[in-house]
């Protein structure tokens, strides 16, 4: 197996994009729910469900990145 810096950059980029995407999605939805008066309960429910989705998708993403590297 050979070390490939390009593959490592691609893997790190995929993980970074995944984290930033999930984080921004959660931020915008929680922010809009608080501004619209829906309450913080909706935001907490969404944050917990977003965390669960992230935990489910992270091993899949790790497998894909591992296959690339």
């Amino acid at each position: 197996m050979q070390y490939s810096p390009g593959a490592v950059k691609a893997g790190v980029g995929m993980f970074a994009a995944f984290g930033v995407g999930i984080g921004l999605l959660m931020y915008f939805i929680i922010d809009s729910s608080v501004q619209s008066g829906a309450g913080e309960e909706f935001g907490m429910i969404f944050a917990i469900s977003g965390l669960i989705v992230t935990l489910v998708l992270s091993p899949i993403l790790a497998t894909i990145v591992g296959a690339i590297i």
Side-chain angles (χ1 to χ4, degrees):
M1 185 188 310
Q2 296 178 1
Y3 174 73
S4 173
V8 173
K9 288 178 189 176
V12 170
M14 286 179 70
F15 270 116
F18 178 71
V20 169
I22 291 290
L24 284 174
L25 178 67
M26 290 173 64
Y27 171 76
F28 286 132
I29 290 184
I30 291 171
D31 187 49
S32 68
S33 71
V34 170
Q35 287 180 359
S36 67
E40 295 182 10
E41 295 83 17
F42 175 75
M44 288 300 291
I45 290 171
F46 181 77
I48 292 171
S49 62
L51 181 62
I52 291 171
V53 167
T54 304
L55 290 174
V56 168
L57 293 178
S58 185
I60 297 169
L61 183 63
T63 303
I64 294 170
V65 170
I68 290 174
I69 294 175

